[in-house]
Amino acid sequence: MSHTATKDSIPAPASAPATARLTGRSLPRWAPAGFAAAGIALGCGLGAAAGWHSKVQWALLSALFFMVISYAVTSAVENHRQARDRVATSIVWVCFVLAVIPLLSLIWVTVSRGIKVLDGYFLTHSMAGVPGFEAGGGVYHAIVGTLQQVGLAALISVPVGLLTAIYLVEYGRGALAKAVTFFVDVMTGIPSIVAGLFLLSIMLMFELQPSGLMGALALAILMLPVVVRSTEEMLKLVPNELREASLALGVPKWRTILKVVVPTALGGITTGVMLAVARIAGETAPIMLLVFGSQLINTNPFEGAQSSLPFYIWEQYRVGSEASYDRAWAAALVLIAFVMLLNLVARGIARWKAPKTGR
């Protein structure tokens, strides 16, 4: 009897490794940064010793050393499970850095080269009377054209896209809804030059003159599927309980959509619209075909040729002089600032209109 009690009181040896794993050593929080520094040092050192002149090779070798060091040190200090987890995390960080480096490089080059001529004079004057190969001139006429053309495109596409999305989510059933969804998906991938050629054929058939309106119509075609798809996804996120509660109170369906569904999804809808505007702001092909560009300030989008920021960038780069290159980079910086401002506005509206949560 005592032998049995003694035997039961001895802990099982199989639990010892598990206890050791739970109470084992762990690396400090700064270990990943140390691994990255060691990997960069080894990769750059080996690349320099081997005579490699490509910084891309140095970066790839540093990333490889980073993951190898992370796995080896973690396996030695902690365990193989933590080592595999750290390698997966390292791969995510390496992919993130590889994605950010080209973006930062693009922004740096644009800012460093565009800031040379970007001043008040450049933003408030046009290229009227200024030869393309000489210094001077500005981008004001292109800013006016971009604002008017993008504004008209948004004025055309946003109501149509919003109502189409409401139909697909709230009313769409059967073959018609499937056909509309199919064509919206097809239009999402249409190249901008196709939209420009479509409007150009209409201009030739009816003998219409180039104008900012023609370019805005082409931009509206490109913007419409983005608005429809983003609005549709936002409306689908509205809980059905809100619709059912409103209908249970005797509110008509159209009023439920207008007063309950759309306001609930308004933040996401606004974000989608702003992203669609940012997507068409950089289009050049439809403007080349339908607006033709101009060196003068034309504030009437319904008559006469106009310019735009993307067209201005292409036009100045085509000249080939040092002054025109500087103007092209400065206009590119203005366009990036315009798109960035739209994204900030979209984020602000989305946060402002987001549903308030609380207990």
Side-chain angles (χ1 to χ4, degrees):
M1 191 73 176
S2 62
H3 175 71
T4 303
T6 305
K7 183 177 180 180
D8 293 339
S9 62
I10 299 175
S15 62
T19 305
R21 285 196 298 270
L22 292 175
T23 60
R25 296 175 297 174
S26 61
L27 291 169
R29 299 186 64 178
W30 51 265
F35 298 156
I40 293 174
L42 289 174
C44 294
L46 185 58
W52 296 345
H53 299 289
S54 175
K55 300 300 186 294
V56 176
Q57 293 176 326
W58 291 20
L60 294 177
L61 193 60
S62 300
L64 179 61
F65 276 124
F66 169 55
M67 289 184 287
V68 170
I69 293 173
S70 298
Y71 183 82
V73 176
T74 306
S75 298
V77 176
E78 297 180 353
N79 52 63
H80 292 290
R81 181 178 180 182
Q82 292 294 332
R84 289 192 294 269
D85 178 75
R86 196 175 293 276
V87 168
T89 305
S90 301
I91 293 175
V92 172
W93 275 104
V94 168
C95 293
F96 168 74
V97 172
L98 291 178
V100 168
I101 286 177
L103 176 62
L104 295 179
S105 176
L106 174 63
I107 294 176
W108 170 255
V109 172
T110 305
V111 171
S112 61
R113 300 196 61 175
I115 203 68
K116 296 180 181 178
V117 297
L118 184 60
D119 52 17
Y121 179 87
F122 182 76
L123 295 174
T124 56
H125 287 75
S126 68
M127 291 296 296
V130 179
F133 54 87
E134 292 185 2
V139 74
Y140 179 74
H141 61 299
I143 295 176
V144 170
T146 295
L147 292 177
Q148 291 183 346
Q149 294 158 25
V150 172
L152 286 173
L155 191 63
I156 295 169
S157 61
V158 170
V160 177
L162 180 60
L163 294 176
T164 303
I166 290 175
Y167 166 76
L168 292 176
V169 175
E170 304 294 337
Y171 298 98
R173 301 292 185 274
L176 179 59
K178 293 180 180 178
V180 173
T181 302
F182 173 76
F183 283 112
V184 168
D185 293 336
V186 171
M187 289 178 63
T188 305
I190 289 180
S192 59
I193 190 67
V194 175
L197 289 173
F198 172 70
L199 267 299
L200 180 61
S201 63
I202 295 178
M203 287 177 57
L204 296 177
M205 289 172 56
F206 294 96
E207 298 182 354
L208 300 176
Q209 297 299 317
S211 64
L213 177 62
M214 294 293 104
L217 292 175
L219 296 180
I221 294 175
L222 300 174
M223 185 178 175
L224 182 61
V226 180
V227 175
V228 173
R229 182 59 63 214
S230 60
T231 304
E232 184 181 1
E233 295 301 323
M234 291 301 104
L235 294 177
K236 288 180 180 178
L237 293 178
V238 178
N240 286 327
E241 289 79 3
L242 296 177
R243 298 179 176 89
E244 295 170 356
S246 178
L247 295 174
L249 294 174
V251 180
K253 188 171 183 177
W254 69 270
R255 196 170 183 85
T256 298
I257 296 171
L258 185 63
K259 296 295 185 179
V260 177
V261 178
V262 173
T264 304
L266 187 58
I269 293 173
T270 305
T271 303
V273 170
M274 290 297 178
L275 292 177
V277 170
R279 180 247 188 274
I280 66 171
E283 292 294 342
T284 309
I287 308 303
M288 294 172 60
L289 293 174
L290 306 172
V291 188
F292 282 16
S294 175
Q295 305 290 330
L296 306 177
I297 301 174
N298 181 10
T299 57
N300 184 7
F302 303 100
E303 183 180 359
Q306 270 190 329
S307 186
S308 69
L309 286 172
F311 183 86
Y312 180 87
I313 295 169
W314 171 80
E315 187 179 44
Q316 293 301 315
Y317 190 81
R318 186 184 61 172
V319 173
S321 66
E322 189 66 27
S324 66
Y325 286 158
D326 292 339
R327 287 192 294 265
W329 282 108
L333 183 57
V334 172
L335 183 59
I336 290 177
F338 175 67
V339 174
M340 186 179 298
L341 180 62
L342 287 178
N343 282 274
L344 292 177
V345 170
R347 289 178 179 272
I349 295 177
R351 181 173 297 182
W352 175 43
K353 291 295 183 179
K356 303 298 185 293
T357 58
R359 296 178 181 268

PDB file of all heavy atoms in Angstrom, residues 3 48 71 74 114 151 177 180 190 203-204 268 273-274 301 322 354:
ATOM      1  N   HIS A   3       3.878   1.346  -1.008  1.00  0.00           N
ATOM      2  CA  HIS A   3       4.606   1.370  -2.279  1.00  0.00           C
ATOM      3  C   HIS A   3       3.796   2.080  -3.354  1.00  0.00           C
ATOM      4  O   HIS A   3       4.320   2.863  -4.146  1.00  0.00           O
ATOM      5  CB  HIS A   3       4.938  -0.065  -2.692  1.00  0.00           C
ATOM      6  CG  HIS A   3       5.578  -0.158  -4.057  1.00  0.00           C
ATOM      7  ND1 HIS A   3       6.858   0.270  -4.292  1.00  0.00           N
ATOM      8  CD2 HIS A   3       5.081  -0.604  -5.239  1.00  0.00           C
ATOM      9  CE1 HIS A   3       7.166   0.086  -5.568  1.00  0.00           C
ATOM     10  NE2 HIS A   3       6.075  -0.455  -6.160  1.00  0.00           N
ATOM     11  N   ALA A  48      30.541  44.037 -50.828  1.00  0.00           N
ATOM     12  CA  ALA A  48      31.681  44.887 -51.155  1.00  0.00           C
ATOM     13  C   ALA A  48      32.931  44.065 -51.401  1.00  0.00           C
ATOM     14  O   ALA A  48      33.722  44.370 -52.303  1.00  0.00           O
ATOM     15  CB  ALA A  48      31.916  45.886 -50.021  1.00  0.00           C
ATOM     16  N   TYR A  71      16.830  32.715 -37.389  1.00  0.00           N
ATOM     17  CA  TYR A  71      16.492  31.306 -37.124  1.00  0.00           C
ATOM     18  C   TYR A  71      17.547  30.628 -36.256  1.00  0.00           C
ATOM     19  O   TYR A  71      17.224  29.915 -35.302  1.00  0.00           O
ATOM     20  CB  TYR A  71      16.350  30.551 -38.448  1.00  0.00           C
ATOM     21  CG  TYR A  71      15.936  29.111 -38.263  1.00  0.00           C
ATOM     22  CD1 TYR A  71      14.602  28.780 -38.069  1.00  0.00           C
ATOM     23  CD2 TYR A  71      16.884  28.088 -38.280  1.00  0.00           C
ATOM     24  CE1 TYR A  71      14.218  27.465 -37.886  1.00  0.00           C
ATOM     25  CE2 TYR A  71      16.509  26.764 -38.096  1.00  0.00           C
ATOM     26  CZ  TYR A  71      15.176  26.460 -37.897  1.00  0.00           C
ATOM     27  OH  TYR A  71      14.799  25.160 -37.711  1.00  0.00           O
ATOM     28  N   THR A  74      17.561  32.126 -32.543  1.00  0.00           N
ATOM     29  CA  THR A  74      16.333  31.783 -31.836  1.00  0.00           C
ATOM     30  C   THR A  74      16.280  30.295 -31.524  1.00  0.00           C
ATOM     31  O   THR A  74      15.819  29.898 -30.446  1.00  0.00           O
ATOM     32  CB  THR A  74      15.109  32.201 -32.671  1.00  0.00           C
ATOM     33  OG1 THR A  74      15.218  33.572 -33.020  1.00  0.00           O
ATOM     34  CG2 THR A  74      13.833  31.983 -31.886  1.00  0.00           C
ATOM     35  N   GLY A 114      11.659  68.299 -57.976  1.00  0.00           N
ATOM     36  CA  GLY A 114      10.549  69.200 -58.236  1.00  0.00           C
ATOM     37  C   GLY A 114      10.577  70.472 -57.422  1.00  0.00           C
ATOM     38  O   GLY A 114       9.954  71.471 -57.801  1.00  0.00           O
ATOM     39  N   GLY A 151     -13.514  67.415 -61.467  1.00  0.00           N
ATOM     40  CA  GLY A 151     -14.768  67.791 -60.826  1.00  0.00           C
ATOM     41  C   GLY A 151     -15.980  67.395 -61.657  1.00  0.00           C
ATOM     42  O   GLY A 151     -16.967  66.868 -61.127  1.00  0.00           O
ATOM     43  N   ALA A 177     -29.446  42.120 -62.622  1.00  0.00           N
ATOM     44  CA  ALA A 177     -28.434  42.442 -61.620  1.00  0.00           C
ATOM     45  C   ALA A 177     -27.116  41.726 -61.925  1.00  0.00           C
ATOM     46  O   ALA A 177     -26.036  42.307 -61.777  1.00  0.00           O
ATOM     47  CB  ALA A 177     -28.933  42.060 -60.231  1.00  0.00           C
ATOM     48  N   VAL A 180     -25.466  43.588 -64.829  1.00  0.00           N
ATOM     49  CA  VAL A 180     -24.868  44.855 -64.395  1.00  0.00           C
ATOM     50  C   VAL A 180     -23.575  44.602 -63.626  1.00  0.00           C
ATOM     51  O   VAL A 180     -22.554  45.287 -63.837  1.00  0.00           O
ATOM     52  CB  VAL A 180     -25.872  45.647 -63.533  1.00  0.00           C
ATOM     53  CG1 VAL A 180     -25.200  46.877 -62.930  1.00  0.00           C
ATOM     54  CG2 VAL A 180     -27.071  46.067 -64.371  1.00  0.00           C
ATOM     55  N   ILE A 190     -10.884  48.197 -67.875  1.00  0.00           N
ATOM     56  CA  ILE A 190     -10.739  48.834 -69.187  1.00  0.00           C
ATOM     57  C   ILE A 190      -9.568  49.813 -69.162  1.00  0.00           C
ATOM     58  O   ILE A 190      -9.501  50.675 -68.278  1.00  0.00           O
ATOM     59  CB  ILE A 190     -12.034  49.577 -69.568  1.00  0.00           C
ATOM     60  CG1 ILE A 190     -13.149  48.578 -69.886  1.00  0.00           C
ATOM     61  CG2 ILE A 190     -11.807  50.485 -70.770  1.00  0.00           C
ATOM     62  CD1 ILE A 190     -14.452  49.231 -70.276  1.00  0.00           C
ATOM     63  N   MET A 203     -16.984  62.020 -80.886  1.00  0.00           N
ATOM     64  CA  MET A 203     -16.640  63.369 -81.332  1.00  0.00           C
ATOM     65  C   MET A 203     -16.562  63.445 -82.850  1.00  0.00           C
ATOM     66  O   MET A 203     -17.041  64.413 -83.467  1.00  0.00           O
ATOM     67  CB  MET A 203     -15.304  63.792 -80.717  1.00  0.00           C
ATOM     68  CG  MET A 203     -15.353  64.125 -79.248  1.00  0.00           C
ATOM     69  SD  MET A 203     -13.714  64.529 -78.577  1.00  0.00           S
ATOM     70  CE  MET A 203     -13.230  65.882 -79.653  1.00  0.00           C
ATOM     71  N   LEU A 204     -15.958  62.436 -83.482  1.00  0.00           N
ATOM     72  CA  LEU A 204     -15.839  62.442 -84.935  1.00  0.00           C
ATOM     73  C   LEU A 204     -17.192  62.249 -85.608  1.00  0.00           C
ATOM     74  O   LEU A 204     -17.457  62.833 -86.669  1.00  0.00           O
ATOM     75  CB  LEU A 204     -14.865  61.350 -85.374  1.00  0.00           C
ATOM     76  CG  LEU A 204     -13.417  61.521 -84.906  1.00  0.00           C
ATOM     77  CD1 LEU A 204     -12.567  60.336 -85.339  1.00  0.00           C
ATOM     78  CD2 LEU A 204     -12.833  62.828 -85.436  1.00  0.00           C
ATOM     79  N   GLY A 268     -17.468  55.134 -45.543  1.00  0.00           N
ATOM     80  CA  GLY A 268     -16.809  54.264 -46.519  1.00  0.00           C
ATOM     81  C   GLY A 268     -17.087  54.673 -47.947  1.00  0.00           C
ATOM     82  O   GLY A 268     -16.211  54.566 -48.820  1.00  0.00           O
ATOM     83  N   VAL A 273     -15.123  57.150 -53.072  1.00  0.00           N
ATOM     84  CA  VAL A 273     -15.216  58.205 -54.083  1.00  0.00           C
ATOM     85  C   VAL A 273     -13.895  58.966 -54.187  1.00  0.00           C
ATOM     86  O   VAL A 273     -13.409  59.254 -55.294  1.00  0.00           O
ATOM     87  CB  VAL A 273     -16.375  59.152 -53.747  1.00  0.00           C
ATOM     88  CG1 VAL A 273     -16.339  60.384 -54.645  1.00  0.00           C
ATOM     89  CG2 VAL A 273     -17.709  58.444 -53.903  1.00  0.00           C
ATOM     90  N   MET A 274     -13.296  59.281 -53.054  1.00  0.00           N
ATOM     91  CA  MET A 274     -12.025  60.010 -53.078  1.00  0.00           C
ATOM     92  C   MET A 274     -10.920  59.181 -53.723  1.00  0.00           C
ATOM     93  O   MET A 274     -10.077  59.702 -54.472  1.00  0.00           O
ATOM     94  CB  MET A 274     -11.627  60.397 -51.657  1.00  0.00           C
ATOM     95  CG  MET A 274     -12.499  61.472 -51.041  1.00  0.00           C
ATOM     96  SD  MET A 274     -12.391  63.034 -51.939  1.00  0.00           S
ATOM     97  CE  MET A 274     -13.542  64.047 -51.009  1.00  0.00           C
ATOM     98  N   PRO A 301     -14.594  74.741 -69.417  1.00  0.00           N
ATOM     99  CA  PRO A 301     -14.372  73.348 -69.809  1.00  0.00           C
ATOM    100  C   PRO A 301     -15.282  72.885 -70.939  1.00  0.00           C
ATOM    101  O   PRO A 301     -15.086  71.767 -71.453  1.00  0.00           O
ATOM    102  CB  PRO A 301     -14.668  72.573 -68.524  1.00  0.00           C
ATOM    103  CG  PRO A 301     -15.640  73.419 -67.791  1.00  0.00           C
ATOM    104  CD  PRO A 301     -15.278  74.848 -68.115  1.00  0.00           C
ATOM    105  N   GLU A 322      16.655  71.097 -69.934  1.00  0.00           N
ATOM    106  CA  GLU A 322      16.801  71.042 -68.488  1.00  0.00           C
ATOM    107  C   GLU A 322      15.677  71.806 -67.789  1.00  0.00           C
ATOM    108  O   GLU A 322      15.142  71.350 -66.762  1.00  0.00           O
ATOM    109  CB  GLU A 322      18.160  71.630 -68.085  1.00  0.00           C
ATOM    110  CG  GLU A 322      18.517  71.442 -66.625  1.00  0.00           C
ATOM    111  CD  GLU A 322      18.714  69.983 -66.262  1.00  0.00           C
ATOM    112  OE1 GLU A 322      19.072  69.190 -67.154  1.00  0.00           O
ATOM    113  OE2 GLU A 322      18.503  69.642 -65.077  1.00  0.00           O
ATOM    114  N   ALA A 354     -17.741  57.825 -39.228  1.00  0.00           N
ATOM    115  CA  ALA A 354     -17.756  56.439 -38.757  1.00  0.00           C
ATOM    116  C   ALA A 354     -18.791  56.278 -37.653  1.00  0.00           C
ATOM    117  O   ALA A 354     -18.983  57.176 -36.829  1.00  0.00           O
ATOM    118  CB  ALA A 354     -16.373  56.053 -38.242  1.00  0.00           C
TER     119      ALA A 354
END
